[in-house]
């Protein structure tokens, strides 16, 4: 009787076996893909042949409460990464530490100031050659192949974020080409981002244990930076200009 | 029996042959030396094509000779504007393979890029900004130098600014 039950078409039909097989293989495929997908999300990497997308907007959130006065780790990391030591008077400055103080109550804050990667960048508006541009993912860059070094963008920037290269340079980092006669500024370490990394300053701040710089995608509602921007009181420096900057500050 | 006169004739002929062979060899050697390294009198130095370290170029030599500049320019736009970082026509890829084994650079008298550009009298301005050495080697050679000549406190970093922010009601000093 039991034998006959086992052999009923219901249990042993080829259709059911096929369905089970399909179910198992789907589960296996899910297992195989899931870790890959997770890694992909964590490293936010793109394939090298994939262009930067406007679905992403890179930004940083700087917690001035954690940024120690006198600490220069982000500034020196930027110099090491991008090839300026600060030892020459004419060296570029992509990031600088700023101390702000409310004289009435004596409250002071320390924070790094760099290119704010505006959504509506004034430097791009004024550039006569189109060298200054905003990439699809919100990073504001200078195309040195086209830059004629007029420095109009330096005048237009409300954050004093850009520098002009006055002298010939040698032994550049192969990932960061820089040369005399061009304006330059923080690139948000675009070469690192394209490989799935984060800017050198953010890395250095984390490595030193301050965790004052948080880098991430402002367009992704699940990213840490978006959650914090959504829940905490964060400030855009010179918000009155309506530039919608990508670098936000917390605690100032 | 071979007569003395006959022997002398044969020897002379052989000596003549040997002399001719030596002369020919000498001329050939001189010619090849000229072609390889030095300048034929009054001429521009021929470009040096040292062995590249990779197996095979991304395209054949005749294509690269005529179109490397177009490919590089196309790639530069893709990378700069769109963030596409494929390696096929990247300048870094060229440098990694073609850097001279002695100088570790594509520049210099025998450098892959510079020797040919001098021969063709075409200005080469990539390397005013781009590194002329492969990535790892540059990092190694510049690391100790930069750490040695970097003062403990960098003068430009210690400058602090006073900024007034509307939100905190701060007053400019």
């Amino acid at each position: 009787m039991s034998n006959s039950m086992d052999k009923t078409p219901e249990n042993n039909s080829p259709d059911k076996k096929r369905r089970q097989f399909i179910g198992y293989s789907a589960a296996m495929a899910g297992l195989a893909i899931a870790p890959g997908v997770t890694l992909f999300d964590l490293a936010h990497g793109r394939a090298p042949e994939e262009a930067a997308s406007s679905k992403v907007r890179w930004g940083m959130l700087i917690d001035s409460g954690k940024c120690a006065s006198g600490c220069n780790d982000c500034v020196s990391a930027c110099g090491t990464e991008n090839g300026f030591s600060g030892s020459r008077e004419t060296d570029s400055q992509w990031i600088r530490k700023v101390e702000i103080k409310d004289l009435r109550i004596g409250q002071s804050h320390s924070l790094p100031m760099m290119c704010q990667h505006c959504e509506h960048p004034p430097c791009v508006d004024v550039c006569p050659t189109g060298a200054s541009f905003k990439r699809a993912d919100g990073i504001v860059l200078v195309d040195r192949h086209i830059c004629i070094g007029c420095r109009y963008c330096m005048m237009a920037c409300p954050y004093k974020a850009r520098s002009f290269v006055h002298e010939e340079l040698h032994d550049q980092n192969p990932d960061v080409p820089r040369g005399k006669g061009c304006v330059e500024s923080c690139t948000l370490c675009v070469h690192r981002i394209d490989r799935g990394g984060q800017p050198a300053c953010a890395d250095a701040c984390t490595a030193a244990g301050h965790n004052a710089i948080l880098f991430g995608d402002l367009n992704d509602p699940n990213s840490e930076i978006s959650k914090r921007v959504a829940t905490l009181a964060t400030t855009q420096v010179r918000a009155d200009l309506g530039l919608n900057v990508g670098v936000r500050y917390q605690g100032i | 029996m071979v007569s003395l006169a006959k022997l002398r004739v044969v020897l002379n002929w052989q000596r003549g042959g040997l002399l001719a062979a030596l002369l020919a060899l000498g001329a050939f050697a001189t010619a090849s030396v000229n072609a390889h390294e030095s300048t034929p009198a009054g001429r521009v130095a021929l470009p040096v094509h040292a062995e590249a370290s990779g197996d095979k170029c991304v395209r054949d030599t005749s294509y690269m000779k005529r179109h490397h500049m177009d490919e590089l320019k196309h790639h530069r736009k893709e990378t700069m504007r769109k963030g596409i970082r494929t390696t096929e026509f990247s300048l870094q890829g060229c440098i990694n393979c073609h850097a001279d084994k002695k100088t570790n650079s594509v520049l210099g008298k025998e450098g892959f890029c510079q020797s040919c550009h001098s021969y063709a009298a075409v200005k080469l301005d990539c390397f005013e900004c781009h590194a002329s050495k492969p990535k790892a080697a540059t990092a190694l050679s510049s690391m100790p130098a930069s750490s040695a000549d970097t003062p403990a406190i960098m003068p430009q970093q210690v400058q602090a600014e006073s900024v007034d922010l509307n939100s905190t009601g701060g007053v400019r000093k």
Side-chain angles (χ1 to χ4, degrees):
Chain A
M1 185 66 189
S2 65
N3 273 354
S4 68
M5 279 293 282
D6 281 346
K7 280 175 186 167
T8 52
E10 216 187 321
N11 274 348
N12 229 352
S13 71
D15 233 15
K16 175 143 194 192
K17 277 188 174 169
R18 197 177 299 144
R19 276 183 205 150
Q20 272 184 342
F21 173 72
I22 291 168
Y24 290 146
S25 39
M28 289 298 284
L31 278 177
I33 290 167
V37 167
T38 320
L39 277 175
F40 189 81
D41 280 345
L42 279 178
H44 66 73
R46 305 194 313 270
E49 64 275 7
E50 197 186 329
S53 150
S54 56
K55 285 179 192 146
V56 176
R57 187 177 181 212
W58 297 121
M60 294 212 276
L61 177 62
I62 292 157
D63 186 348
S64 76
K66 292 178 184 167
C67 181
S69 178
C71 171
N72 254 326
D73 288 349
C74 51
V75 183
S76 37
C78 179
T80 312
E81 179 70 24
N82 299 302
F84 36 85
S85 60
S87 53
R88 278 201 297 197
E89 203 181 358
T90 59
D91 259 351
S92 290
Q93 186 187 53
W94 291 10
I95 179 171
R96 62 190 193 273
K97 278 300 288 290
V98 172
E99 304 282 334
I100 49 173
K101 192 171 185 184
D102 187 333
L103 292 178
R104 285 181 299 184
I105 51 174
Q107 187 191 30
S108 70
H109 291 285
S110 182
L111 50 94
M113 177 56 68
M114 72 292 262
C115 171
Q116 305 282 298
H117 298 279
C118 313
E119 189 188 352
H120 310 293
C123 53
V124 175
D125 286 347
V126 300
C127 180
T129 64
S132 213
F133 71 103
K134 183 168 70 98
R135 221 171 73 156
D137 52 4
I139 304 175
V140 178
L141 295 170
V142 180
D143 185 346
R144 288 159 218 264
H145 306 108
I146 310 179
C147 175
I148 54 170
C150 75
R151 290 166 260 186
Y152 200 172
C153 56
M154 290 173 69
M155 295 294 111
C157 178
Y159 305 102
K160 225 165 108 181
R162 291 201 160 179
S163 298
F164 182 72
V165 183
H166 290 270
E167 294 180 64
E168 278 180 21
L169 303 173
H170 305 282
D171 289 331
Q172 290 92 333
N173 174 356
D175 283 330
V176 189
R178 303 173 54 231
K180 181 179 163 183
C182 288
V183 175
E184 57 181 26
S185 63
C186 162
T187 62
L188 221 54
C189 286
V190 68
H191 56 288
R192 283 166 162 250
I193 291 177
D194 283 347
R195 286 194 206 111
Q198 62 168 355
C201 54
D203 265 349
C205 194
T206 310
H210 301 306
N211 294 315
I213 304 179
L214 174 66
F215 168 80
D217 177 8
L218 288 165
N219 276 356
D220 173 11
N222 297 318
S223 68
E224 178 66 19
I225 186 168
S226 293
K227 285 179 193 161
R228 274 165 67 172
V229 166
T231 52
L232 300 167
T234 59
T235 315
Q236 300 189 32
V237 175
R238 288 305 302 272
D240 55 316
L241 297 173
L243 304 174
N244 189 15
V245 294
V247 179
R248 314 290 176 98
Y249 293 86
Q250 179 188 337
I252 56 171
Chain B
M1 217 35 219
V2 182
S3 73
L4 200 63
K6 230 176 199 173
L7 190 69
R8 199 178 290 153
V9 167
V10 168
L11 271 179
N12 269 346
W13 177 83
Q14 277 184 336
R15 206 182 288 159
L18 191 70
L19 205 67
L22 274 174
L23 272 173
L25 196 71
F28 180 74
T30 325
S32 62
V33 162
N34 272 346
H36 253 291
E37 50 185 56
S38 69
T39 316
R43 300 297 302 275
V44 178
L46 287 170
V48 181
H49 293 297
E51 190 94 344
S53 56
D55 295 336
K56 193 168 164 284
C57 196
V58 292
R59 292 284 185 282
D60 55 83
T61 310
S62 59
Y63 180 84
M64 291 307 281
K65 266 186 188 165
R66 280 160 191 79
H67 299 292
H68 68 275
M69 61 301 274
D70 305 325
E71 295 289 358
L72 281 171
K73 203 164 186 176
H74 177 69
H75 188 268
R76 121 189 162 184
K77 273 187 196 159
E78 297 283 299
T79 306
M80 182 82 235
R81 300 273 161 172
K82 298 183 193 162
I84 294 171
R85 290 183 188 259
T86 48
T87 49
E88 193 180 21
F89 284 109
S90 83
L91 186 62
Q92 275 188 29
C94 300
I95 294 164
N96 288 344
C97 263
H98 287 291
D100 190 89
K101 289 189 178 68
K102 277 175 275 173
T103 59
N104 192 32
S105 168
V106 289
L107 297 183
K109 206 176 158 209
E110 299 199 346
F112 181 81
C113 296
Q114 199 177 345
S115 71
C116 208
H117 271 257
S118 330
Y119 179 74
V122 180
K123 197 184 170 203
L124 176 63
D125 57 5
C126 302
F127 301 104
E128 285 172 24
C129 288
H130 286 274
S132 61
K133 293 176 178 176
K135 196 173 178 186
T138 308
L140 283 176
S141 66
S142 69
M143 275 302 267
S146 65
S147 58
D149 63 23
T150 307
I153 299 170
M154 297 169 183
Q156 71 163 16
Q157 295 167 6
V158 284
Q159 65 178 2
E161 291 173 28
S162 169
V163 176
D164 64 325
L165 291 171
N166 299 336
S167 57
T168 57
V171 182
R172 191 176 277 275
K173 273 181 203 168

